[in-house]
Amino acid sequence: MTDLSPLPGPASVAVTALDGRFFRPPLPDGYVLRPRLCERLQAGLGGRLLLVSAPAGFGKSSLAIEFCQSLPEHWQSLWLGLSPRDSDPGRFLERLLEGLQDYFPQLGSRALGLLKMRQRHQPFAFEEWLDGMLDELALHLDPATPLLLVLDDYHLAQGPVLDRCLQFFLNHLPDGLLVMVTSRQRPDWHLARLRLSRQLLELNEQDLRLTHDEALSLLDRHSTSLRGEALENLIQRSEGWVAGLRFWLLAASEAGSEAALPQALNGGEGLIRDYLLEEVIDCLPPEVQAFLYDTAPQERFCSELCDAVREAHDSGEILRFLLAHQVFLVPLDEHGHWYRYHHLFSDLLRSRPFAQALVPTATLHLRACRWFNAQGLLDEAVEQALRAGHLDVAANLVQNLSEEQLLAEQNVGMLLRWKMDLPDSLLISTPRLIVLYSWALGLACQLDAAEELASHLSRFLPAPSATAQKSMLAQWLALSGIIARGRGHRELTIRYCTEALESLPAKRYGQRLMCLSTLSNLAIADGDLWRARGLNRESLELAQRVGNPLFEALAHYDRARVLQSRGEILRALDEVHQGLERLRGLSPQRLYAVRARLTLYEGFLLAMRLQPQAARVRLLAGIGEARACRDISVLIGHCVIARLDGTTGEFAKAFAELAEAERLMHIWDVPPIYYLAMITLVKCELWLAQGRTDLAEAWLARLGQTYTGERAAAPPEFHPQLPLHVELQQALLDMIQGQPMLAEGRLNVLHENGQQTGRQLLSVMALTQKVALLLATGREPEARKVLSQALEAAAGGVLQPFNELLKSHADWMRGALLNSPVSVGQYLLEHCALITNRPAIESLPAEQLSARELAVLRLIAQGCSNQEISDRLFISLHTVKTHASHINSKLGVERRTQAVARAQELGMLS
C-alpha cells in the first residue's frame, strides 16, 4: 500500500479551505454592459423562473452577474455555481440549503441533517424532503425583500433525476423566491404551466448574440486597429459570439500584431471556437502552456496547490499573468485565493493532448491528493486518489481514522458519506477498512449491511500471526455482539460481548467500552442493576485511564440510565451534568453523538422532574445534534416531546411528533425492531388518553406477545424496560374496561418486581397508578397508605408519575400531602398549588396560525377543494391536508366548516 506519510507537502502554508460555492464572480474587465437584456429580465421579476440557455461563450454567466448587480435595492441574491458533483440531488439540495441558511439561519436544520446522512444504496425521496423544506422556507421569506436564486452552469449538473427534482422545486416555489438558471442546454422541464401563467421569462442564443454595436463597443474597449472590411468580417464571422471576440483579442495581444492572425475565419461557430482557443494557447509561452495542461484536471486550485501538483514554485507568478488577461480564470472567493478555469477553456485543455507533457495525469492527481491530505482536507484527498486510480492511497487515507475515534465520536455520517464515493471493492480490500466500515454501519443500525461486510474478514484468515488472528476474531466478536443486541438476541449478545472482552487487546479500548456499555444496557433490561452498576464502574475507570473525554461522557450516560431505573432522578441528572462537563473543552462546532445523548437524557430527566418547558428546550437541542450525527437517540427526544404534548391534550401535535420519528427511521433505513415498539407504546398511551381503547388493546397485545414469554425478544436499546411499561399500560386499559381487580393484580406484581430488583421508578409508577385505581373504587383509606409508599419510593426525586393524580384528584392530593414528611411530598404540594391557581385559559387558539396555514384557511373559507388549494398555492396535495389538520388542531375543531366559523369568530379572516 502506498504510504503518504513520508511524502513532503506544504503543510506549513496556511490555506483557507473556501470553495466559493456562493461567491458571485465579478464582471470581467472590458465587459460590455447589456442593459437591453437586463430590462427584459427585469420584466420577469414578478414570475418564478428566468431561464437563460445558450451554447458556451455567449455570456450567460456575465449577464446573470450584471443582472444581479442591477436588481432593485430591496432584492437579495444568492449565487450557486454548479459542477458535475451537483448532479446528485442530495448534494445539490445540501448546497442549496446551506446557501439559503446564510439568509435564514434557522431554516432547515433537520432537513440538512437528513441530506448529510444519506447513503448511496438508499433511494432519495426528494419530493417529500422538498415538500417540508419549502413549507418551512415560506415562513422565512418576506415578499417585501424577495430573493433571487441563481443556478449558474446548470448543464454541468443536469440529469434526469436532478431535472425532476428541480421541476418539483419550481412547481412549489414559495412567494418571495425567484429562480434564475443559466445553462448550455435547455433543461428537461415541463414549463407549459409556468409559461401560460406568465411565470417564466426565457432568453436563448439569438437573444444573447452581440449586436453589431455591442461587438464594436467590445473591440473599441481593447483599442483594436482593425478597420473596414477586416473589422466587419471579424464581427460577421463571430456571429455575436462573445467568447470568440474576447479570445481573438487575447490571441492578437500575444501575437503582437493583428496582421499575424489569419483573417479568413471560415466555418461555423464550432470551428471559430476551436481555432481561436488553439491560437490563444499556442501563442502563450511554453511554461504557461505547461501550467495550463498540468492544472486543467483540477476543479478548483490555488497557487499552493498548483505548486504541489507541478513540483514548482512559480505558480503564483503564472496565475498573476493569466489574471491580467481576465479571460481564463474565474475567482471563487473574495480574497483572490481560489480559482477555476472557464469551463469552455478547461474542456478544451482536457480534450487536447499536450505534446510536451512529461507527467501523466494520474501522477498530477496523486500530487494533489498529497497536498489536500497535508491541509487536512480528507474528502478531496480521497477523491483525488480515486481519480488517480490509486485505490491503495485512498484506502490508506480512510484508514487514518481509528476505530477508537469513530466509536468515541459515533458521528458515522462522515464515514458513510465517504462510502458513497468509494467503490465496494475498496471497502473489502483490507481488514482494517472492513472493520472500520462495519462499525460505522453497525452504529448506523444498518445491521444486515454491517454483518455482510464483516463476513469478508474471513478472506484474511488465517492472519499472518497468532496475535493478529486473535485481534481480528476479537473485533469480529465485539461487532457481532452489537449487531445481536440491535436484533434483540439476548443470549448471542452476552456470548459475543463476553468473549470479545476476554480476547480484545488493550489498544482496542474503544471496542471494549462498547461491549461493556452493551452488556450494561442488557443488564438493565434483565433487572440486574447491580451487574449494570459494576459494568458502568469498569467502563468509567477504563475511559479515565485512557484519558478520552468522549468515552468518559458515555460512561456517565450509562450510569445515569442505571440511576434513573433505580428512581434516583436527581443523581442521574448529576451524572448527566458531569458527562456534559467532560465535553466542555471540545469544539462546539464539532458534532458528537454522546453529547446529543446526554442532552436528550437531560431533557427526559427534567420531564420526570415536572419541568416541561426546560425539558423541551434540552430535547430540541439534543434532537438537532443527534440528527446531524445520524444517531437513533433522536427517538428519546421525539417520544418524550410527544408525551409532553399528550399531557396537555395536544394529541395532533403528539402524533405528528411520532410520525416524524418514524419518517426519520425509515429514511435512515433503521430496522423496525429499534424503534417500532417504543413509538407504538407512546401511541398506546395517547390512545388511552383519548379513549380509543380498541387501538390500544390491539397493539398492547402485540407488544406483549413480542416482549414477554420464553422466546421474548430483548427490548430495544433505548427502552430496556419496555415490557414492564407495556404491563403498566395494560393495567390502565384493564381499569378503563371495568376490570379493576385484574388491573390491581398487575400493579401489585409490578410493584413487587420493582422492590426486588431495585427498580424504584417502576414501583413509583405502579403505586401511583394503584392510588388512582383505589380512589376510583372508593377505597380512600387504602389509597392514602399506597400514596405514602409511593412517596417513600420517590425519594430519589421522581415526580412525573404523580402528575395525573395532581390533575384529576387535586383536592385529595392537597390534603394527603399537607403533613407529608418527605421532601418529594412538599415539592408536589407546591406543584399542586400551581395547578390550582393557574388562570383559566381563554378560548383562543393554542398557537397562532402560520402564514401558509392562514393562506390555506382563507381558500377553505372561499369553498376551494384541496386540489384547488394545491394548484393555487403551488403546494402538494399532501401538504394541503397536513396544513388543514394543523389548522383544525390549533382552532380546536374537527371539520373545515367548524374551522372557518371559529376563525371568523376570532376575526382571523377579516
Side-chain angles (χ1 to χ4, degrees):
M1 179 174 292
T2 304
D3 185 9
L4 289 177
S5 56
L7 297 175
S12 61
V13 180
V15 178
T16 303
L18 296 174
D19 56 11
R21 295 176 300 172
F22 312 117
F23 176 71
R24 186 178 72 223
L27 288 171
D29 284 351
Y31 174 76
V32 175
L33 295 176
R34 312 182 78 179
R36 64 181 179 90
L37 296 180
C38 286
E39 287 178 9
R40 290 188 58 183
L41 292 171
Q42 290 271 0
L45 287 179
R48 291 176 171 272
L49 174 63
L50 305 176
L51 179 57
V52 183
S53 58
F58 275 90
K60 301 180 295 297
S61 297
S62 295
L63 175 62
I65 296 168
E66 180 186 354
F67 180 62
C68 287
Q69 294 179 355
S70 67
L71 284 171
E73 291 185 1
H74 65 285
W75 274 81
Q76 306 174 92
S77 64
L78 170 62
W79 186 277
L80 186 58
L82 303 184
S83 72
R85 290 173 61 83
D86 297 308
S87 60
D88 174 62
R91 289 186 185 274
F92 168 78
L93 292 172
E94 181 180 332
R95 292 188 58 200
L96 172 62
L97 183 50
E98 287 176 341
L100 290 170
Q101 286 177 339
D102 286 345
Y103 291 95
F104 316 113
Q106 304 303 319
L107 173 68
S109 57
R110 292 186 178 184
L112 187 59
L114 291 180
L115 292 180
K116 290 183 179 293
M117 299 306 111
R118 253 185 353 111
Q119 297 184 57
R120 182 176 55 190
H121 69 278
Q122 293 178 331
F124 176 38
F126 62 80
E127 291 188 1
E128 182 181 356
W129 185 92
L130 274 171
D131 204 19
M133 195 276 283
L134 289 173
D135 282 345
E136 186 177 352
L137 177 59
L139 302 178
H140 292 81
L141 287 168
D142 183 358
T145 55
L147 175 66
L148 174 67
L149 167 64
V150 181
L151 304 180
D152 188 36
D153 289 328
Y154 180 74
H155 58 275
L156 294 177
Q158 185 174 2
V161 180
L162 188 61
D163 274 345
R164 293 198 302 272
C165 178
L166 266 294
Q167 178 80 71
F168 185 91
F169 182 78
L170 290 169
N171 287 346
H172 301 83
L173 207 64
D175 293 336
L177 181 64
L178 171 64
V179 179
M180 182 177 190
V181 174
T182 70
S183 179
R184 290 187 188 176
Q185 60 193 52
R186 193 176 184 278
D188 188 17
W189 297 333
H190 301 292
L191 301 174
R193 180 180 174 188
L194 291 177
R195 191 176 292 110
L196 288 172
S197 60
R198 298 186 178 181
Q199 298 289 308
L200 167 66
L201 189 145
E202 292 182 85
L203 297 182
N204 56 31
E205 176 184 342
Q206 294 303 319
D207 298 312
L208 266 66
R209 288 187 185 276
L210 291 172
T211 65
H212 188 275
D213 290 342
E214 288 170 341
L216 281 175
S217 178
L218 176 60
L219 293 170
D220 288 343
R221 284 174 179 246
H222 291 79
S223 302
T224 176
S225 60
L226 282 180
R227 294 294 182 269
E229 185 178 350
L231 178 61
E232 291 300 324
N233 185 47
L234 177 61
I235 294 175
Q236 181 182 357
R237 292 299 185 183
S238 69
E239 300 182 67
W241 186 45
V242 180
L245 286 175
R246 294 184 65 84
F247 281 128
W248 181 88
L249 290 167
L250 177 65
S253 172
E254 292 299 324
S257 171
E258 293 165 354
L261 292 173
Q263 298 298 313
L265 301 177
N266 296 313
E269 173 192 303
L271 179 60
I272 295 174
R273 177 190 60 205
D274 292 343
Y275 179 81
L276 289 176
L277 286 176
E278 290 173 15
E279 284 298 317
V280 168
I281 294 171
D282 292 343
C283 289
L284 294 171
E287 63 272 18
V288 177
Q289 293 185 46
F291 177 92
L292 294 175
Y293 283 102
D294 287 345
T295 56
Q298 301 300 321
E299 290 186 3
R300 67 181 183 119
F301 49 83
C302 59
S303 61
E304 295 86 356
L305 173 59
C306 294
D307 279 343
V309 167
R310 300 171 55 242
E311 294 188 340
H313 302 285
D314 60 349
S315 298
E317 181 180 350
I318 295 177
L319 283 172
R320 285 190 290 273
F321 172 85
L322 295 174
L323 278 170
H325 296 88
Q326 292 293 323
V327 174
F328 300 126
L329 296 179
V330 176
L332 293 179
D333 59 53
E334 298 176 353
H335 311 289
H337 194 86
W338 286 97
Y339 299 93
R340 67 167 173 84
Y341 289 119
H342 280 273
H343 297 305
L344 180 67
F345 192 67
S346 60
D347 289 347
L348 178 64
L349 290 170
R350 294 170 187 173
S351 64
R352 295 179 69 219
F354 184 43
Q356 287 74 40
L358 301 177
V359 183
T361 302
T363 302
L364 297 174
H365 282 302
L366 186 58
R367 291 174 181 174
C369 168
R370 295 167 177 168
W371 186 85
F372 279 118
N373 185 47
Q375 307 306 314
L377 304 175
L378 193 55
D379 281 359
E380 297 192 64
V382 170
E383 182 179 343
Q384 292 288 338
L386 293 173
R387 293 177 66 183
H390 282 257
L391 299 185
D392 56 342
V393 175
N396 190 41
L397 289 169
V398 174
Q399 290 179 136
N400 287 336
L401 179 66
S402 69
E403 290 96 325
E404 278 60 47
Q405 182 182 349
L406 170 66
L407 297 175
E409 296 184 3
Q410 294 194 29
N411 184 355
V412 299
M414 176 180 64
L415 203 60
L416 294 181
R417 292 193 66 174
W418 291 342
K419 182 176 180 290
M420 293 175 60
D421 295 325
L422 298 175
D424 292 339
S425 58
L426 174 63
L427 299 180
I428 59 174
S429 61
T430 67
R432 182 165 171 73
L433 275 174
I434 291 173
V435 170
L436 192 65
Y437 271 103
S438 295
W439 272 108
L441 291 166
L443 293 174
C445 307
Q446 306 292 300
L447 303 182
D448 291 340
E451 192 170 50
E452 180 183 357
L453 186 57
S455 68
H456 288 281
L457 283 173
S458 61
R459 296 172 47 235
F460 299 92
L461 296 175
S465 66
T467 302
Q469 175 118 341
K470 181 180 179 182
S471 176
M472 191 182 302
L473 289 173
Q475 292 182 71
W476 177 84
L477 285 168
L479 179 62
S480 297
I482 304 305
I483 293 173
R485 178 65 184 97
R487 288 181 170 151
H489 298 161
R490 179 184 177 280
E491 299 302 329
L492 281 178
T493 301
I494 294 175
R495 190 181 103 200
Y496 285 140
C497 288
T498 302
E499 291 182 13
L501 288 170
E502 292 172 355
S503 52
L504 277 168
K507 66 179 181 180
R508 299 299 180 198
Y509 62 87
Q511 298 181 40
R512 293 185 65 84
L513 285 162
M514 292 302 297
C515 289
L516 290 169
S517 178
T518 299
L519 290 174
S520 170
N521 181 269
L522 203 56
I524 296 175
D526 292 340
D528 192 348
L529 299 188
W530 286 106
R531 172 171 167 73
R533 288 180 64 187
L535 292 165
N536 291 160
R537 187 181 304 109
E538 187 177 348
S539 294
L540 185 57
E541 291 173 355
L542 176 57
Q544 290 173 340
R545 279 202 304 274
V546 300
N548 189 310
L550 290 166
F551 281 128
E552 286 186 53
L554 181 62
H556 284 295
Y557 169 74
D558 285 339
R559 284 165 63 94
R561 299 187 71 180
V562 175
L563 289 167
Q564 174 253 318
S565 297
R566 294 170 55 189
E568 299 185 45
I569 304 301
L570 293 174
R571 288 186 60 192
L573 269 170
D574 184 59
E575 286 289 338
V576 167
H577 294 154
Q578 288 185 54
L580 290 171
E581 184 62 32
R582 290 296 294 122
L583 302 178
R584 196 173 299 281
L586 301 179
S587 170
Q589 282 72 41
R590 294 289 300 275
L591 299 168
Y592 300 102
V594 64
R595 183 167 60 199
R597 294 188 181 191
L598 285 165
T599 304
L600 286 165
Y601 215 62
E602 182 182 14
F604 166 73
L605 294 171
L606 288 172
M608 297 298 294
R609 289 287 297 165
L610 289 181
Q611 299 177 39
Q613 298 305 320
R616 195 179 293 267
V617 170
R618 299 304 288 157
L619 291 167
L620 291 174
I623 286 174
E625 188 162 16
R627 287 175 72 115
C629 293
R630 202 188 186 283
D631 191 81
I632 66 165
S633 61
V634 293
L635 285 171
I636 295 175
H638 288 299
C639 287
V640 176
I641 288 177
R643 294 190 67 202
L644 290 174
D645 289 336
T647 301
T648 57
E650 297 176 282
F651 296 111
K653 290 179 63 176
F655 283 110
E657 195 74 30
L658 297 177
E660 172 63 17
E662 287 189 83
R663 186 180 72 89
L664 191 59
M665 295 298 101
H666 178 72
I667 291 172
W668 287 355
D669 201 21
V670 175
I673 194 170
Y674 275 97
Y675 65 89
L676 191 57
M678 280 183 63
I679 292 175
T680 301
L681 185 61
V682 179
K683 285 182 178 179
C684 289
E685 181 178 340
L686 296 172
W687 286 329
L688 289 174
Q690 288 181 308
R692 302 168 69 181
T693 55
D694 53 337
L695 285 172
E697 182 177 16
W699 283 101
L700 285 172
R702 293 183 64 174
L703 289 172
Q705 292 169 3
T706 303
Y707 293 101
T708 58
E710 294 182 1
R711 296 187 176 181
E717 175 188 352
F718 288 108
H719 203 331
Q721 299 187 59
L722 182 139
L724 301 173
H725 286 256
V726 171
E727 279 293 290
L728 283 168
Q729 294 296 323
Q730 189 64 57
L732 180 58
L733 175 63
D734 292 338
M735 181 62 189
I736 293 172
Q737 293 181 331
Q739 302 182 65
M741 298 304 295
L742 183 58
E744 188 173 353
R746 291 184 193 272
L747 295 173
N748 287 336
V749 170
L750 288 169
H751 170 53
E752 291 172 8
N753 183 311
Q755 292 296 299
Q756 293 171 3
T757 59
R759 292 188 278 206
Q760 292 291 348
L761 180 58
L762 174 66
S763 288
V764 175
M765 290 179 170
L767 289 171
T768 53
Q769 199 166 315
K770 185 177 178 181
V771 170
L773 183 151
L774 293 172
L775 290 174
T777 53
R779 299 154 66 186
E780 193 272 341
E782 292 180 63
R784 285 184 176 273
K785 293 180 181 180
V786 175
L787 178 62
S788 297
Q789 289 180 279
L791 292 172
E792 291 178 11
V798 58
L799 303 174
Q800 191 273 335
F802 296 90
N803 196 41
E804 189 59 36
L805 288 172
L806 293 174
K807 290 195 300 183
S808 57
H809 301 280
D811 292 338
W812 183 86
M813 283 291 290
R814 187 184 301 103
L817 293 170
L818 279 175
N819 299 317
S820 175
V822 295
S823 59
V824 172
Q826 295 303 313
Y827 191 96
L828 289 172
L829 192 60
E830 294 175 9
H831 192 75
C832 186
L834 288 175
I835 294 177
T836 304
N837 297 329
R838 186 172 298 161
I841 300 175
E842 296 182 13
S843 182
L844 289 173
E847 302 176 34
Q848 292 293 325
L849 298 185
S850 68
R852 181 53 62 91
E853 287 167 350
L854 191 56
V856 170
L857 179 59
R858 285 171 176 162
L859 291 176
I860 290 174
Q862 295 173 22
C864 295
S865 66
N866 286 345
Q867 186 61 59
E868 289 171 332
I869 296 172
S870 172
D871 293 339
R872 293 178 64 172
L873 294 181
F874 289 94
I875 58 178
S876 70
L877 191 60
H878 169 73
T879 303
V880 174
K881 294 177 180 178
T882 301
H883 284 320
S885 175
H886 290 169
I887 291 167
N888 290 346
S889 175
K890 291 180 179 181
L891 295 180
V893 299
E894 297 181 358
R895 291 185 292 278
R896 292 161 61 103
T897 53
Q898 294 174 332
V900 172
R902 180 68 175 137
Q904 289 173 338
E905 291 176 8
L906 297 171
M908 302 175 70
L909 298 178
S910 58

